[in-house]
Each structure stands twice: as C-alpha cells, then as structure tokens.
Amino acid sequence: MNAVDFREALSCPVPILSHDKVQLAHGAGGKLSNEMIDKIFLPRFFNSTLKKMEDQAILDNPGGRIAFSTDTFVVDPIFFPGGDIGDLAINGTVNDVAMSGAVPKFLSVGFILEEGLPFETLHRIVLSMERAAKKAGVQIVTGDTKVVNRGSCDKLFINTTGIGFVPDDIHISASNLKPGDQILLSGTLGDHGMAVMTSREGLSFQSTVNSDTAGLSHLVKDMLGVSSEIHAMRDPTRGGVAASLNEFAVSSNVGIQIYGDRIPVRENVRGACEILGIDPLYVANEGKLIAVVPPEIVDDMLSAIKANPLGKAAVILGEVTEKHPGIVSLGTGLGVNRIVDMPIGEQLPRIC
Amino acid sequence: MNAVDFREALSCPVPILSHDKVQLAHGAGGKLSNEMIDKIFLPRFFNSTLKKMEDQAILDNPGGRIAFSTDTFVVDPIFFPGGDIGDLAINGTVNDVAMSGAVPKFLSVGFILEEGLPFETLHRIVLSMERAAKKAGVQIVTGDTKVVNRGSCDKLFINTTGIGFVPDDIHISASNLKPGDQILLSGTLGDHGMAVMTSREGLSFQSTVNSDTAGLSHLVKDMLGVSSEIHAMRDPTRGGVAASLNEFAVSSNVGIQIYGDRIPVRENVRGACEILGIDPLYVANEGKLIAVVPPEIVDDMLSAIKANPLGKAAVILGEVTEKHPGIVSLGTGLGVNRIVDMPIGEQLPRIC
C-alpha cells in the first residue's frame, strides 16, 4: 500500500461488523449476508440501481448495440505493487468492453470469499474497486457473494461482467485488419505480469516493478474522437501482445510485421523478464491497448493516444502485410525476422 | 447420472484433447486454451455471436429496459440428484433475470477450474449447460476460463451473468406489495436444498430427493400472458421462501400472512428436513417462484401457473396485510400465529 492509498484507507475506516472475519453464514442470504452488504458493499458501490437490492438490476437502455464481456480474477497475491485484485477486476472488464468501441456503463460483481477472510482485507479491496469504477465511469449495479469453507478457495476470487453501448458508426473486430494498416501500442509492455511475478517470487530490483492496471475507457473515447475508423483493438492481457496479434493475424488472414527495435519495455521489467527467461511480448498487460488503423490516420491517432496520460509511451509497433497470412513476424533490426508464435500455455499462472 | 442423461452423454462422447485433465496452461490464453475452447465449449454453446471469439459479445439491442443479473455457483457436490452445477448455473441466472418480467436472452459464463479436473467431468457439465440454455431459450455469448493450481479451488466454480429485456408495461418490484394482494407459490418447497444435503451427507430415503433445478422463463411468459399486473416476483433460492417474503415485507412495509396448512412439501423432503432439523420454508429452491398479484387476477394466474409443467403443484400460499408491517406470520391452522423471521445465517452451506 503506497502513501496515498494508506491515507484514503484511513479516511474510510473498516466498518464494524458483528464478526471481524467472513463466516459461511455471510454467504447464506440471511441477516449476516445483509449486514455485510449494507456495511461493506453498498456504501462503496452506491447508486440508485444497486440500492434497490433486487435480484437483478433494471437498466435504462440508451439503444445501440450492446457490448457484453465477463472476466474472472484469481490473481495471486491479491495485493501487488501498483494494484490489487479489486481494481484489476474493474479495469479488466471495463477494458474488454471498451475494446469494442463501446462506452462501458454497468458492471456486475460476483465474489467468492473463503471462510475466515478478514473483513479488513475485503474492505480494502472494495475501496479499490470503488475508486477504479469511478475513474472508469462505470456503475456496479448488481452483485452476488458466495462463501466457501476454509481451503475451498484461495482468499477471494472476483467475477466482473460488463455492459456498454456501441455507437452505430463503430465496427471494430479482430477480423477487420487490412494490408497496410498500422499497429499502435499505447505504452510499455509486461508491467502487470512482471509486477505480480516479482511480488510473488520475492524478487527485488532497484526500483519496484508496478502493475499498469488502469481503465482504458477514456483513452478509447479520445481515440474515437479522432476517427471511428479503428479496424481492430485489443487489450493484450493473458498471452500478451504475442497472443493478441496472433489472433488478429489468424482472424483477418493477414501477416503482421512488428518492428523489434520499437517495443517499449521499462528497464526493471526487462530485467525481471531476463531473470525469469520470459519474452515481454508474452507477458500480460492490464492498462495497455493495441489498435489497428489505416495508414492515413495513424499519425493523428498516435498523437491522440500520446496526449492521454495512459498513452504517453505509445508507439507504432508494426504493420499489417499481405505476406505470410496468419503469421506474426518480428524484425530484429539486423535484417533478420523471427516468428512470434502463439504462446502454448502458462508461463505465468494466476496473474489476473 | 440417470438413464436419459447417460444416453445423451453417450451420443456426445468426450472430445479428445492433448491432455485428459485440466492443466494450468489451459487458463493461459494460449494454444491449449484455444484447444479447450474449440473442443469443449464452442461446439456445445455454439451461436453466431460466440463463434466470433472476440473479448466481448456484441449484441443486437431490441430496446426496452435491460435486466442484468449475476450469480456464482459453488455447489458441493457438483453432481447431485436431479442436476449438477452446470444446469444450476444456467437456470439460476435465467430465473433471476426472468423474475423482473424480462425475457432472458444472453448469458456470459466464467469458469474457475482446478488444475487436474478431468475433461470428462467438464464436458459432462458443459453438456448439461447446453441443454439448460436451450430449454430456457438463452444463448451463451461470451465467456472466460481461469485455471488455479491444485487445492486453490474445489473442482470448479461457475459464474453466469444474464441479460434480458423488460417489456414497457411491466413493473415488478419487491416494494410493490399492496394489502389484499395474494401470494402464489409455483410448487413444492425445499427440493433443491435437500437434494444437495442428502447427497452430500449420504442420507438415503425410500425415494431419492431430486433437485427442482429448472429455468422459469417460459412459466413467467405464460403468467405475463394472463396479466402484466404482477406486483412482485422472486425465485426463493438461498434463505428459501422465508428470506424472500421477509424481503418483500420490509421493502413494501406490509405484513405477510402465510397459510401454514397449504405449504406444499414432498414427503421425502419433509423427512429429510425433519432429520436435519430444518424448516422447509428456509430451504433453497431452484425451480420455483413466488408471485404477488392483486386479488382480482389471482384465480386466472393460478390456473396459468398450474397449466405449465413446472407449476402443477402451485398454491395460493398467503396474502398481504396492513397489520404487522415488515413481519411475515405463519398461521399454524390451530388459530395460532408464529413469526417467520429472516434467517440469520447458513443452515446449508454451498447448496448453490
């Protein structure tokens, strides 16, 4: 917990409940469930829809296609430099919704809590969720909590599912890439995955590796202000940029050429990757996006991204080619190309 | 697995994957994740939205208010007489959406899988989800899978989040009860909770106690065909009818009187409740609903419910009173009333 978080937590002390740890009864839908909802969740997530406490939220419908996305978070440890499972759970789903060009509006939250979890821990995570939701401009409108007996889950898991609305003129899809399109990346690679790994493995560096967890809804809005002609967009989480670009290449049946000398990676992240023997292209990010745009708008789009605080280190990472459909290649700067394959499996378990 | 399920499973053999058990790598977003999605999930949940395999589903929007509900399922054991965690997860969220009067349309599914879970088990659950979704008329349009290391969860947990659309003339809410309103119950109480408990505790009776897990979307449609004047509706899951009616009484600031001699309970469920010392009013149901309607339409509504296969044993369970606001009372049939209090906590952990 950094200094700012600590002050915020002090200004919102842990609520007093009849127990200081989660009991099985807190998941039973009775008086203790209600006490937990009233003291821990409702004050922090408060809005006029949620306060009705029905079994479902009833939402006004502004029209337009609906973007709908779900993600479950099982990150270990639940607190890591730069974030925790709470803001990660909000930002992750906000980003999946936003990558369609939709404006994310509403979230559901489903908790699985381990019996014995201190309410202090839960409160800290809920505070973090509250802040992330406010920043991203989304409301938590419905939720569910289950409690499982000690040993049947690891502290807590969180599912978030999001709804947003897609403006009529926007058609973003992994299958829309065209040869000549330019590939933009909004910032440095590998921060989140390496923050979790170094924290879990107890590796220390001269400077702490911080997660990049952030909600990208405002950045996407800025980009769509430049042009609605974004062909594809993705937040490169599990499997990293390598997995996202491979999915693009296969879905659109095009080649993708990355400029190896332009991949932005922080010094401490590069160090951690070297120690763990991992390529930053395969490491999860939680506050970055890749956008594929036609060449005529790439400069304006890059400027718009760089003007947003979350896009300062943005680069043109590569381009879409007719050659080698389905393949992602990396130019090493020595005139040599290597294939950036789809990752097979888990290099980094439980990083989100 | 009963005879019918067994035949269905035979007609859809377990797909051949490169592993027969879930590995951490199946949660990593790489090739093994894709293999699992392509062989286990996609063939069973197939629809034109899901097959796009984007990070979010893009849904046509028919207009009308949106009903949005989430539920996480951690039932233990994952297979029980009458159902499993798969159909339970579909039906539970379908029902929460339907209780608003909405037509449930789209579901997201989030799996947490324990490393080592046999794919045979996962396939059987996915088949059960497929059948339940088809029966209820909903599509699974987006999903997420996480794998946690052995011992970090108990086999598998499932989150489902649902979207439906509420017709304009329908306004169902726990705060709409009026004195004189009649309370309808669509069938027998306690079947699901007792099916899970007797299966978990190894209790045996002359006849197996079967879960009532079922999707109620078609029953709700039949009811709204009679009249849109349903004041409140709820599927009495965790905490049972006692919790739902207490929530109604408090939200609407009215009294509720139940006719004790009309509570429908199966013989074997009553026996199980007696052995475990549990009142069926507090036991979870997963295929029943309570509806509160004005007296002038109660007979037509009861007939419509009874005409549906899921409502054969429906009764008028009680009525709404001006007296004793916030209190649920049970007439014992001997002129004596006892208070049916909100349950405090967990009588039956992990029944859903």
Side-chain angles (χ1 to χ4, degrees), chain B residues 61-252:
Chain B
N61 185 346
R65 288 158 298 155
I66 296 170
F68 183 43
S69 188
T70 191
D71 219 335
T72 307
F73 295 84
V74 298
V75 64
D76 169 37
I78 55 176
F79 297 100
F80 46 82
D84 58 56
I85 192 170
D87 51 14
L88 191 66
I90 300 294
N91 293 333
T93 291
V94 161
N95 292 347
D96 278 343
V97 171
M99 290 307 113
S100 68
V103 182
K105 295 290 278 183
F106 304 113
L107 291 186
S108 67
V109 174
F111 290 98
I112 303 174
L113 308 178
E114 185 181 13
E115 179 190 9
L117 182 78
F119 276 114
E120 189 185 348
T121 304
L122 183 60
H123 177 64
R124 200 172 140 192
I125 286 162
V126 164
L127 279 176
S128 164
M129 297 176 77
E130 178 192 18
R131 283 196 295 270
K134 282 191 178 150
K135 263 196 195 172
V138 295
Q139 289 187 329
I140 294 162
V141 291
T142 192
D144 174 64
T145 308
K146 293 295 187 307
V147 180
V148 297
N149 35 311
R150 222 175 280 262
S152 290
C153 87
D154 187 5
K155 297 180 195 75
L156 85 165
F157 302 146
I158 305 176
N159 175 282
T160 50
T161 302
I163 290 180
F165 298 92
V166 191
D168 284 342
D169 58 336
I170 291 172
H171 299 277
I172 293 172
S173 164
S175 55
N176 277 351
L177 279 71
K178 307 273 179 296
D181 281 354
Q182 302 290 299
I183 296 164
L184 291 161
L185 168 65
S186 68
T188 55
L189 290 188
D191 303 59
H192 175 72
M194 283 304 111
V196 174
M197 285 306 287
T198 55
S199 153
R200 190 155 74 204
E201 305 300 328
L203 299 177
S204 68
F205 295 87
Q206 282 199 311
S207 60
T208 306
V209 179
N210 281 309
S211 168
D212 57 339
T213 180
L216 298 170
S217 42
H218 300 297
L219 174 58
V220 170
K221 196 179 163 209
D222 293 349
M223 292 168 65
L224 290 170
V226 172
S227 167
S228 60
E229 282 299 301
I230 297 172
H231 288 169
M233 197 150 56
R234 191 64 66 92
D235 60 325
T237 55
R238 280 185 292 180
V241 164
S244 295
L245 292 182
N246 269 281
E247 284 168 26
F248 284 175
V250 170
S251 293
S252 295

Side-chain angles (χ1 to χ4, degrees), chain A residues 137-160:
Chain A
V138 294
Q139 290 186 329
I140 294 162
V141 290
T142 192
D144 174 64
T145 308
K146 292 296 189 304
V147 180
V148 296
N149 34 311
R150 221 176 281 260
S152 290
C153 87
D154 188 5
K155 297 181 195 74
L156 84 165
F157 301 145
I158 304 177
N159 175 282
T160 50

Side-chain angles (χ1 to χ4, degrees), chain A residues 159-190:
Chain A
N159 175 282
T160 50
T161 302
I163 290 179
F165 298 92
V166 191
D168 284 342
D169 57 338
I170 292 172
H171 298 276
I172 293 172
S173 164
S175 55
N176 277 352
L177 279 72
K178 308 270 179 298
D181 281 354
Q182 302 290 298
I183 295 164
L184 291 161
L185 168 66
S186 67
T188 55
L189 290 188

